[in-house]
């Protein structure tokens, strides 16, 4: 991965800027929204889509990394797995693979999982040479979306970076969510059918019991 990212860095000067605003790539399933006035560059990188969005000293590095080993896992399982924190030890390994983003002294200061949206987002902040790096990771079948936003110099712009990181999504998210919703509805229908069957059997048993008691009462009265 380090070699792929190094190649991407070397290509920054050759990349063609794109306009700010919504950006998407169907091949990698990556989508996000760049702030007004920012430049967006797609950099050559083997095995991933690497986007650099920047304005002056403010930068967001957004990656879509292909994960063939998870491609056949159901969207529901991927989503559920994303609710489990990856933990600080996993976050601590990332700076070494991204020298374009992190200084050698980068350290995790906090990590969490944001479940406020449909797709959980792994979140972390780093202290990197005195600057705050805001990080986000999301999982989808066959792909991971990584985002890192920070200021090279000057003050942190947490609100802007939060907006960019929250905008990262998959171009097939609507389809994946529909798949999950269909599975849930199917399970609910199955459960309702089982419940209805249980109620029917119980009602039948109660009717039989009442009939037996009625016949016993008639027999005693004769």
């Amino acid at each position: 991965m380090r070699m792929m990212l190094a190649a991407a860095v070397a290509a920054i000067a050759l990349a063609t800027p794109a306009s700010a605003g919504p950006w998407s790539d169907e091949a990698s399933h990556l989508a996000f929204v760049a702030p007004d006035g920012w430049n967006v560059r797609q950099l050559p990188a083997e095995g991933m889509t690497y986007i650099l969005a920047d304005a002056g000293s403010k930068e967001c590095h957004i990656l879509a990394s292909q994960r063939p080993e998870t491609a056949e896992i159901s969207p529901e399982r991927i989503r559920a797995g994303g609710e489990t924190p990856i933990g600080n030890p996993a976050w601590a390994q990332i700076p070494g693979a991204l020298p374009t983003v992190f200084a050698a002294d980068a350290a995790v200061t906090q990590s969490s999982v944001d479940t406020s949206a449909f797709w959980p987002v792994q979140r972390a902040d780093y202290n990197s040479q005195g600057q705050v790096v805001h990080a986000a990771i999301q999982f989808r079948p066959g792909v991971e979306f990584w985002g890192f936003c920070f200021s090279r110099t000057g003050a942190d712009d947490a609100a802007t970076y939060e907006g960019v990181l929250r905008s990262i999504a998959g171009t097939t998210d609507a389809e994946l969510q529909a798949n999950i919703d269909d599975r849930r509805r199917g399970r609910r229908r199955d459960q309702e059918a089982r419940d209805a069957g249980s109620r029917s059997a119980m009602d039948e048993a109660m009717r039989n019991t009442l009939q037996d008691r009625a016949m016993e009462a008639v027999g005693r009265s004769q």
Side-chain angles (χ1 to χ4, degrees), residues 2-215:
R2 186 188 297 271
M3 292 180 62
M4 291 187 291
L5 294 174
V9 174
I12 288 178
L14 302 177
T16 302
S19 59
W23 186 97
S24 64
D25 175 48
E26 292 297 333
S28 64
H29 305 305
L30 172 64
F32 75 99
V33 179
D36 291 341
W38 282 44
N39 294 315
V40 179
R41 302 174 178 85
Q42 182 170 355
L43 312 178
E46 183 181 352
M48 67 176 65
T49 297
Y50 192 124
I51 304 299
L52 172 63
D54 65 350
S57 66
K58 301 175 183 179
E59 297 184 10
C60 286
H61 296 243
I62 302 170
L63 295 74
S65 181
Q66 301 304 308
R67 291 287 184 263
E69 65 273 18
T70 69
E72 299 304 318
I73 300 177
S74 72
E76 192 169 26
R77 284 184 58 196
I78 292 289
R79 179 174 180 263
E83 294 178 345
T84 302
I86 64 174
N88 283 2
W91 285 111
Q93 296 178 24
I94 292 176
L98 284 168
T100 55
V101 173
F102 296 99
D105 67 347
V108 182
T109 58
Q110 70 86 24
S111 64
S112 62
V113 180
D114 181 358
T115 58
S116 60
F118 184 82
W119 292 99
V121 183
Q122 304 280 335
R123 296 298 304 268
D125 286 342
Y126 295 82
N127 184 313
S128 178
Q129 215 166 45
Q131 298 296 110
V132 179
V133 178
H134 304 274
I137 296 176
Q138 299 184 45
F139 305 107
R140 303 290 191 277
V143 66
E144 295 177 4
F145 302 133
W146 295 18
F148 305 92
C149 294
F150 62 100
S151 300
R152 289 282 177 189
T153 59
D156 182 31
D157 190 352
T160 296
Y161 302 148
E162 181 74 9
V164 174
L165 295 176
R166 282 185 174 274
S167 76
I168 297 173
T171 59
T172 60
D173 278 357
E175 177 184 339
L176 296 175
Q177 183 171 345
N179 177 286
I180 293 173
D181 291 342
D182 286 345
R183 284 172 174 263
R184 287 176 172 174
R185 282 192 292 268
R187 286 197 299 270
R188 188 160 53 246
R189 286 194 298 268
D190 291 345
Q191 185 61 51
E192 289 172 351
R194 287 193 294 270
D195 291 345
S198 297
R199 286 194 298 270
S200 178
M202 185 178 297
D203 291 344
E204 181 66 21
M206 290 181 66
R207 282 194 297 270
N208 291 337
T209 298
L210 291 173
Q211 288 174 357
D212 291 344
R213 289 179 178 176
M215 292 178 66

